[in-house]
Amino acid sequence: MMGMLFFILLAHVLVVGRSEPTQSWPERGGLEAEGEELGSVDSALVHMTEDKVFQLINASLSFQWAKRFCSSQFSVLTAKQMAEDEEGALLLLRQSQLKEPIWVMDPNKPLDRESVPVSKQYKVLPTLSFSPESKEGHARLDTHFPPLQAVTVCARVQWDQRHNQVSTIFSYAAPVFINEFQLRGRADGADRQVLLALIVHGHHCPYKASFPSDGDWHQVCVSWRNSDGLWAIHVDGEMRDTGTRTDTTREIYGEGIFIVGQDQDSFGGDFTEPFVGNITDLNVWNVTLKEDQIRTLKACRPLENQDSIFSWNSQNFTLNPDAKTVHANIYCPGLLSQRQNEECDVLEGWSSQSTPQYSRLPCSQDLPFVCRTSKNRYLAMKELKEAQSYRPSPFMSHLMQISGDSQVMEEPQAAMSWDQASQLLNVSQQALSETQEPLEAADMLSLMQILSRAAEVPAVANESRPAAELLSQQFITVADNIISSDNAHMWDVVKEVASGPMSVVRSIDRMVTNLNPLLIADRDSVQIQSNNIKLQVQQRNLGETSESSNFCGPHSGNKTGPDCISLSSQQMQELQSNGFRKVTLLNTWYGSLHQIFNTDENIITFPDVSDGSQRSLGTVLGSSVISSTVLGDGQPISMPVRFQLQHKAQNPIGFVYQPICAFWDFNLMPEDGGSWSSYGCEVLSTQEDSTTCSCNHTTNFALLLQIYEVERSPEDERALQMLTFTGCGVSLCGLIFTLILFTAVGVPKSDRTTVHKNLIVALALGQLLLMFSDWASTNHEACMLVTALLHLFFMASFSWMLVEGLLLWSKVVSVNISEERRMRFYYALGWGLPIVIVTVTLTVSLNKYKAETHCWLNIESNIIWAFVGPVLFVLAVNTVVLCRVVMVTVSSARRRAKMLSPSCASKPHTFDLTWAATRPVLILLPVLGLTWLCGVLVHTSPVVAYLFIILNAFQGLYIFLVYAVYNSEVRNAIRRIQEKRKALSFTNCSQPISFLPSQRTPAAFWAQSLPIPSSLESSESSCPASSTTSSSLVFKNESFRKDSFVSFSLKPSSGNQVVELTAFKPSGC
């Protein structure tokens, strides 16, 4: 008895022939030998491979129910076009000799189709509008009516809520009988309903059918047939009233007048019961429409092969001046009907070439199917089942004792009945409350399967709201026991079989979605709560209010308040403007799941980039789970939500947590029940004990906390920040002075000087923005602008560093390109390429471009590679250039050493070669950007971090010293300015003297003919072996003192004469 009841509750292998006994199935044949352990029923239906188990379910279900059944068994449907699945399904079909097709899923489509949002569908129709002031407003159909053996009239009606009098929606009067066919309505203020009554042959039917007086559009169809006098009233696709008490001796007279919006006390006149509201989409048929045809009209789809007497599309009517024609947006739930008729994939069999044959059939058709699971999971479940059969747990023993022999899960069925679900949940709740011993792993699996099946109970119309609330409370109580922190240790065993605690969350979502119409049948809100779960269902009429929606979990005593999730009033107004009338909000809070999730299980690894101050240790679930589902007019819709969750973990010394806004995606890793994802979610703000997030959809949300071990102390961080700010300030000053010197002192123009200037401008602008970037971090728009400019100018800095390398390469390796063409290429590379990179990056990923807490690129996504990638390329190229320069320099130094006399070498040969290799490295490091190479090792040690800051924050100062202070061109330009000033001062004290030789006399001859003063000596050569000659030109002036003279010294240098001016200022000046 115990083993049989457990088999019923657990229902692991639920495959029963529909019309033949189990024994009639063929022998196992080619099944795996490992199946020998199974019983005769199991082994004929299960196939094991090396790591998978396939189970043929020979009970026909629709595609959606087949998926749900496999999910309840912690498995999934087999997928098409997957070799292993095809092989397993083929073997099972051959062994069972099953000729029917089986369901298969498309691996490229989401597994959980129920979570896919459904968009609102509308149709714009011309509408007759009747105002309260109009007493004569009506429309007359310009159509000939023959005698009618049957008739159906359908229209969409929007009743004015202010009107509470009896009104006639339409009336048909014949010449021989006035009240031939008429539909009347009256408002019932107490119940806020509009009651409908049909008049046929003058017989007034009772006011029984109704629709809500809510200002919304409602479809009304009335029909009658002469054969049996049957009449019916359908409202919104459902029959609301019917009867046969009419005169069946005659048909409806022809040649009549059909009036919309008024009754007829005489043929075509004497209007006394005006309609107030709007009417559209009125059509008349001379047959009685079937219910499926009426539902088709409700979905705004045309009837096939069914002609009408009057079609609204023809607009063939005469309008009274008191009535108006307007256009209205009509909600059409056509998408729901399409989903009911959509087709799904099936495996029909194999061709003669042993290739699988796939086709598509309506998803609502009942077919067998194959579930697939992992071998380890299947064997673990089998082991738990056998252990429970031989030695039931205290909970299971008590459950079987109080349940009797109720076989409520005997076979896979489309849905558990209300009574079965209520009975099973009741005994489960009772056994949980009365059993003192803790639950075992098999108990939790059984309860999870009970919840999975009970969640599919439909909202039966004849069940009351208290019954639905009781069933929901029992469901929540059982679920609370499963995910209680007391059972956290058991989940390590359960996870080998089940898909984790989020499967319980999924069952709760399905249960409340199914039962919400009953839960809020006569009120706007209901709340169900247990120790760890809080559930709330709200319904709002968007015509009455568009306020924001807020749902919060229990108060926890935190200063920032409880966990909350909200939809803004703007979102509510958008729903109303899109035509939605009612919105249902299903919100749930789970307070114990963070204690169940293991730190290294079911947690997705997010991209992690460390700046060296912290080392990532992993990610944990660090908050409660809160969920939101939005139903607009009964359809699931996806909307942006905002939520605030409290941190459940404290920051110990030496560790920090970085919150990540995430949601549980059931379509990720479906065999494992899903996984966490952060797609579409972002952090809005973070406080000490809470984080506020925003996501662009509705589902189950939580905070994942990325754990970092602090590798640099706060003192190091402050010191590095201060050093960075100081270094950038000094560097900026150095760059500005360098640019001023290059511009003001008249450094000879060259491509090398132009490249230097552009590099200095890009670096200066980048470091200036970097110094003040923290001030913009509080404003999102300003911070985004600063981030883009920082990206641009630092990218331009490295681009010009690349240009520096290419220019240097062209000097070392002869490149035959004109200077003009070369500079155009350099400008395109230095400024054009960074602009393109920044523009493309912003266009592709604007929402993920900026970091959350500071004004720089987002290092938690791939956006950072829009900067790091080009930088690494520049550094690689410039490293090659530097190595080539060092090789050329050392080679030149060796050749020069061989040419020089040993007596001229004042230093050892080794020192010359070392200096020849070191000198270009020291000179080229700042402009080639190679100091950034140490950034790769910045996370290894604080010492490397300090070195990196010093080398790069003071880059501008280094450029100022090397390329301005110790640059011979700059120093010569300054010297020329000084000499020019001295010469100008000299000419102000004496008569002008022509220092230039006559053009008639060659300069060399003129210089050689002048006496050379003995007081002037030449000391230009430092090597006796290398002699040079020099000449001086001396000019006497009577106004000069004796010791005053002006001389020119001419000396040959590399074949060209250099004139050196020496001027001594007279003492009298």
Side-chain angles (χ1 to χ4, degrees):
M1 177 70 70
M2 292 183 180
M4 182 186 67
L5 182 57
F6 178 79
F7 173 77
I8 294 172
L9 291 173
L10 200 57
H12 286 309
V13 186
L14 302 176
V15 186
V16 180
R18 289 168 300 177
S19 58
E20 55 186 355
T22 305
Q23 288 79 0
S24 64
W25 286 64
E27 297 298 327
R28 289 170 291 175
L31 289 178
E32 296 291 337
E34 295 173 270
E36 296 289 344
E37 302 176 1
L38 304 175
S40 59
V41 175
D42 295 353
S43 60
L45 303 170
V46 175
H47 168 59
M48 287 189 183
T49 64
E50 184 176 352
D51 58 348
K52 294 287 190 299
V53 173
F54 299 89
Q55 181 181 2
L56 175 62
I57 311 298
N58 194 34
S60 297
L61 298 176
S62 68
F63 180 77
Q64 293 295 338
W65 283 106
K67 286 198 309 181
R68 293 173 184 175
F69 178 81
C70 288
S71 177
S72 70
Q73 305 302 305
F74 313 113
S75 57
V76 294
L77 273 179
T78 51
K80 71 174 186 178
Q81 297 176 349
M82 294 183 65
E84 191 174 12
D85 285 15
E86 291 174 346
E87 180 182 352
L90 172 62
L91 191 146
L92 287 174
L93 291 178
R94 286 176 177 173
Q95 293 297 320
S96 63
Q97 297 182 356
L98 187 66
K99 303 301 181 182
E100 288 185 271
I102 62 172
W103 291 122
V104 291
M105 68 175 183
D106 187 346
N108 299 320
K109 291 183 179 180
L111 180 65
D112 193 9
R113 286 294 304 276
E114 290 79 13
S115 64
V116 177
V118 180
S119 59
K120 190 78 171 178
Q121 303 295 309
Y122 303 97
K123 188 175 182 179
V124 179
L125 293 175
T127 302
L128 299 178
S129 180
F130 305 93
S131 65
E133 295 77 17
S134 172
K135 302 300 182 183
E136 299 292 327
H138 68 277
R140 174 174 174 173
L141 304 189
D142 298 331
T143 300
H144 173 264
F145 285 89
L148 300 174
Q149 294 289 339
V151 64
T152 300
V153 180
C154 289
R156 297 181 190 272
V157 180
Q158 188 179 42
W159 188 278
D160 192 323
Q161 294 176 276
R162 299 169 296 178
H163 186 64
N164 55 9
Q165 303 296 322
V166 174
S167 299
T168 300
I169 298 174
F170 69 83
S171 62
Y172 176 79
V176 297
F177 197 88
I178 301 300
N179 294 324
E180 188 73 341
F181 194 66
Q182 184 180 138
L183 178 63
R184 308 177 74 194
R186 66 178 178 87
D188 185 354
D191 296 332
R192 299 179 62 183
Q193 297 285 317
V194 175
L195 303 177
L196 302 175
L198 184 65
I199 298 177
V200 183
H201 299 326
H203 175 76
H204 198 301
C205 300
Y207 285 103
K208 185 176 180 181
S210 66
F211 59 82
S213 179
D214 51 8
D216 201 356
W217 286 97
H218 295 277
Q219 184 207 37
V220 178
C221 289
V222 294
S223 59
W224 171 86
R225 64 188 180 204
N226 185 34
S227 60
D228 54 3
L230 180 67
W231 59 268
I233 301 178
H234 288 76
V235 176
D236 294 330
E238 301 293 336
M239 181 183 291
R240 298 297 175 85
D241 195 13
T242 185
T244 58
R245 292 178 296 174
T246 61
D247 186 1
T248 60
T249 60
R250 67 176 179 88
E251 59 194 7
I252 292 179
Y253 294 122
E255 308 300 329
I257 298 176
F258 197 107
I259 299 294
V260 181
Q262 290 281 4
D263 71 332
Q264 302 176 61
D265 285 349
S266 64
F267 185 62
D270 291 340
F271 305 134
T272 58
E273 295 179 356
F275 173 81
V276 179
N278 301 315
I279 298 176
T280 188
D281 199 21
L282 187 145
N283 297 274
V284 183
W285 295 267
N286 58 355
V287 296
T288 302
L289 296 183
K290 299 178 181 179
E291 291 195 15
D292 60 338
Q293 291 177 310
I294 293 177
R295 286 193 292 268
T296 299
L297 293 172
K298 176 69 169 59
C300 302
R301 292 188 297 167
L303 296 180
E304 297 180 358
N305 303 321
Q306 189 66 63
D307 296 331
S308 60
I309 299 176
F310 174 81
S311 173
W312 188 254
N313 295 330
S314 67
Q315 294 292 291
N316 188 20
F317 54 78
T318 301
L319 190 64
N320 181 273
D322 288 346
K324 298 180 181 180
T325 302
V326 297
H327 287 83
N329 286 331
I330 305 300
Y331 161 54
C332 298
L335 187 56
L336 292 178
S337 300
Q338 293 172 13
R339 290 185 64 183
Q340 293 174 358
N341 298 325
E342 68 179 345
E343 294 183 339
C344 298
D345 295 299
V346 295
L347 174 63
E348 289 191 336
W350 274 257
S351 65
S352 57
Q353 291 79 21
S354 298
T355 58
Q357 300 293 316
Y358 293 101
S359 64
R360 295 179 65 84
L361 293 175
C363 298
S364 58
Q365 186 170 338
D366 292 337
L367 294 175
F369 52 95
V370 173
C371 296
R372 182 195 72 225
T373 188
S374 67
K375 182 178 179 180
N376 292 336
R377 175 171 294 173
Y378 179 83
L379 294 178
M381 183 183 296
K382 179 174 177 291
E383 182 180 352
L384 288 174
K385 170 188 172 183
E386 292 176 347
Q388 189 74 290
S389 299
Y390 295 135
R391 188 188 59 81
S393 66
F395 166 77
M396 187 58 64
S397 299
H398 190 59
L399 178 64
M400 291 184 291
Q401 179 181 354
I402 61 179
S403 63
D405 249 352
S406 302
Q407 299 185 4
V408 294
M409 295 181 67
E410 190 171 9
E411 61 180 17
Q413 48 191 323
M416 184 182 293
S417 69
W418 186 283
D419 291 338
Q420 289 175 331
S422 178
Q423 178 186 2
L424 190 55
L425 289 173
N426 182 45
V427 297
S428 299
Q429 180 183 6
Q430 182 180 350
L432 286 169
S433 62
E434 296 176 356
T435 303
Q436 302 297 326
E437 291 80 1
L439 293 176
E440 296 183 3
D443 301 333
M444 296 175 64
L445 288 174
S446 300
L447 291 173
M448 289 171 65
Q449 289 188 313
I450 289 173
L451 292 180
S452 178
R453 297 296 306 279
E456 309 298 344
V457 173
V460 183
N462 58 1
E463 293 294 341
S464 62
R465 179 190 57 78
E469 192 169 344
L470 176 61
L471 183 70
S472 301
Q473 182 66 63
Q474 293 172 341
F475 196 102
I476 294 298
T477 302
V478 175
D480 188 286
N481 279 271
I482 299 176
I483 62 174
S484 171
S485 58
D486 297 337
N487 297 321
H489 64 285
M490 293 306 303
W491 281 99
D492 291 334
V493 180
V494 174
K495 70 184 180 184
E496 298 178 3
V497 176
S499 51
M502 293 304 293
S503 60
V504 179
V505 173
R506 193 179 195 181
S507 296
I508 294 176
D509 290 344
R510 286 179 174 168
M511 180 274 297
V512 69
T513 301
N514 289 333
L515 296 186
N516 80 86
L518 292 178
L519 292 173
I520 53 175
D522 54 358
R523 53 181 174 177
D524 295 333
S525 177
V526 63
Q527 181 172 298
I528 300 172
Q529 187 169 348
S530 62
N531 295 331
N532 301 300
I533 302 174
K534 181 179 179 180
L535 169 67
Q536 185 182 67
V537 181
Q538 300 181 59
Q539 180 173 273
R540 293 190 177 187
N541 190 333
L542 295 176
E544 299 174 356
T545 178
S546 297
E547 296 179 356
S548 61
S549 167
N550 294 282
F551 166 74
C552 296
H555 288 274
S556 57
N558 291 27
K559 58 183 180 181
T560 54
D563 302 320
C564 294
I565 190 168
S566 63
L567 280 78
S568 66
S569 58
Q570 181 180 358
Q571 299 294 333
M572 294 295 186
Q573 293 172 0
E574 183 178 352
L575 285 177
Q576 184 178 5
S577 63
N578 287 337
F580 288 95
R581 299 297 178 181
K582 290 183 180 179
V583 59
T584 305
L585 307 170
L586 316 176
N587 298 306
T588 317
W589 173 86
Y590 306 91
S592 60
L593 291 180
H594 67 281
Q595 300 173 338
I596 297 176
F597 272 92
N598 194 302
T599 56
D600 57 355
E601 294 291 335
N602 291 321
I603 299 295
I604 188 171
T605 302
F606 290 90
D608 176 42
V609 180
S610 175
D611 60 356
S613 63
Q614 302 167 351
R615 182 170 62 91
S616 176
L617 298 180
T619 308
V620 298
L621 178 61
S623 71
S624 301
V625 175
I626 197 166
S627 70
S628 179
T629 302
V630 181
L631 304 177
D633 293 338
Q635 300 183 65
I637 55 178
S638 185
M639 298 178 60
V641 296
R642 179 172 178 167
F643 57 92
Q644 174 182 290
L645 296 175
Q646 310 301 315
H647 301 169
K648 296 298 184 180
Q650 301 298 324
N651 287 358
I653 298 177
F655 296 89
V656 295
Y657 292 139
Q658 178 183 354
I660 300 172
C661 302
F663 69 97
W664 187 264
D665 189 345
F666 289 101
N667 293 314
L668 289 178
M669 299 185 291
E671 287 194 29
D672 295 329
S675 182
W676 293 108
S677 173
S678 61
Y679 181 77
C681 297
E682 63 176 346
V683 175
L684 296 181
S685 63
T686 299
Q687 302 182 26
E688 181 181 354
D689 58 352
S690 68
T691 295
T692 302
C693 302
S694 174
C695 292
N696 60 7
H697 53 276
T698 52
T699 184
N700 302 287
F701 303 102
L703 290 179
L704 301 183
L705 298 181
Q706 189 83 34
I707 307 175
Y708 292 94
E709 181 182 6
V710 178
E711 295 186 336
R712 289 199 296 262
S713 65
E715 291 76 13
D716 285 333
E717 289 295 320
R718 287 192 293 269
L720 289 172
Q721 187 176 6
M722 183 62 67
L723 186 61
T724 301
F725 191 84
T726 304
C728 286
V730 174
S731 180
L732 182 61
C733 294
L735 291 170
I736 294 174
F737 285 137
T738 304
L739 187 62
I740 291 175
L741 286 175
F742 272 42
T743 306
V745 302
V747 176
K749 291 185 178 180
S750 65
D751 52 359
R752 185 162 54 90
T753 305
T754 303
V755 172
H756 286 345
K757 289 180 180 179
N758 281 277
L759 173 59
I760 290 170
V761 169
L763 272 176
L765 292 174
Q767 293 192 350
L768 178 64
L769 282 170
L770 182 62
M771 292 177 62
F772 299 101
S773 61
D774 285 345
W775 294 355
S777 59
T778 56
N779 186 287
H780 183 269
E781 290 75 15
C783 191
M784 177 67 76
L785 177 62
V786 169
T787 301
L789 292 177
L790 280 173
H791 188 194
L792 173 63
F793 289 125
F794 276 113
M795 195 71 256
S797 300
F798 279 95
S799 296
W800 282 106
M801 292 175 192
L802 177 61
V803 171
E804 292 274 6
L806 297 178
L807 179 62
L808 189 59
W809 182 270
S810 69
K811 302 297 183 183
V812 176
V813 180
S814 178
V815 178
N816 234 349
I817 304 177
S818 66
E819 182 175 343
E820 183 180 355
R821 291 177 55 194
R822 189 165 56 202
M823 286 309 302
R824 284 201 298 264
F825 170 72
Y826 289 163
Y827 274 111
L829 184 62
W831 291 111
L833 182 61
I835 292 175
V836 171
I837 292 176
V838 173
T839 303
V840 171
T841 306
L842 277 171
T843 304
V844 171
S845 55
L846 181 61
N847 295 331
K848 297 182 179 180
Y849 184 74
K850 185 184 73 68
E852 297 290 343
T853 57
H854 54 278
C855 302
W856 182 234
L857 299 179
N858 188 357
I859 66 173
E860 297 179 359
S861 64
N862 294 327
I863 300 303
I864 190 62
W865 286 102
F867 177 74
V868 174
V871 167
L872 292 178
F873 175 76
V874 171
L875 296 180
V877 172
N878 284 353
T879 301
V880 175
V881 172
L882 182 61
C883 293
R884 179 62 176 169
V885 170
V886 171
M887 292 171 60
V888 172
T889 306
V890 172
S891 178
S892 300
R894 287 176 177 171
R895 288 197 302 269
R896 185 168 59 252
K898 292 180 180 179
M899 294 174 61
L900 292 176
S901 168
S903 59
C904 292
S906 58
K907 297 293 181 181
H909 180 62
T910 304
F911 175 78
D912 291 340
L913 295 180
T914 304
W915 176 245
T918 306
R919 186 172 181 271
V921 173
L922 295 177
I923 294 174
L924 297 177
L925 273 179
V927 295
L928 295 183
L930 298 180
T931 54
W932 285 73
L933 286 173
C934 61
V936 179
L937 304 175
V938 74
H939 65 281
T940 58
S941 171
V943 176
V944 180
Y946 279 102
L947 179 63
F948 176 76
I949 295 297
I950 292 173
L951 289 178
N952 293 284
F954 292 92
Q955 187 176 11
L957 178 62
Y958 196 12
I959 290 177
F960 172 70
L961 294 175
V962 174
Y963 290 89
V965 176
Y966 295 106
N967 187 348
S968 59
E969 291 181 352
V970 176
R971 297 174 70 179
N972 289 337
I974 295 175
R975 187 181 297 113
R976 285 194 298 271
I977 293 175
Q978 293 174 345
E979 291 171 350
K980 182 177 180 181
R981 288 179 179 175
K982 290 179 181 179
L984 290 175
S985 177
F986 166 74
T987 56
N988 289 335
C989 299
S990 61
Q991 297 296 326
I993 302 172
S994 176
F995 295 100
L996 296 176
S998 173
Q999 294 181 1
R1000 299 176 183 177
T1001 307
F1005 174 79
W1006 177 61
Q1008 294 171 2
S1009 65
L1010 295 175
I1012 302 174
S1014 60
S1015 61
L1016 295 177
E1017 298 179 359
S1018 177
S1019 60
E1020 300 299 329
S1021 176
S1022 60
C1023 183
S1026 179
S1027 62
T1028 61
T1029 61
S1030 65
S1031 301
S1032 295
L1033 298 117
V1034 180
F1035 296 88
K1036 292 283 187 177
N1037 193 309
E1038 297 298 331
S1039 66
F1040 282 176
R1041 285 173 23 176
K1042 215 171 184 184
D1043 57 345
S1044 298
F1045 63 91
V1046 176
S1047 70
F1048 279 102
S1049 174
L1050 293 97
K1051 61 180 181 179
S1053 176
S1054 304
N1056 298 324
Q1057 288 190 343
V1058 177
V1059 181
E1060 179 181 354
L1061 171 65
T1062 305
F1064 293 89
K1065 184 177 181 182
S1067 60
C1069 285

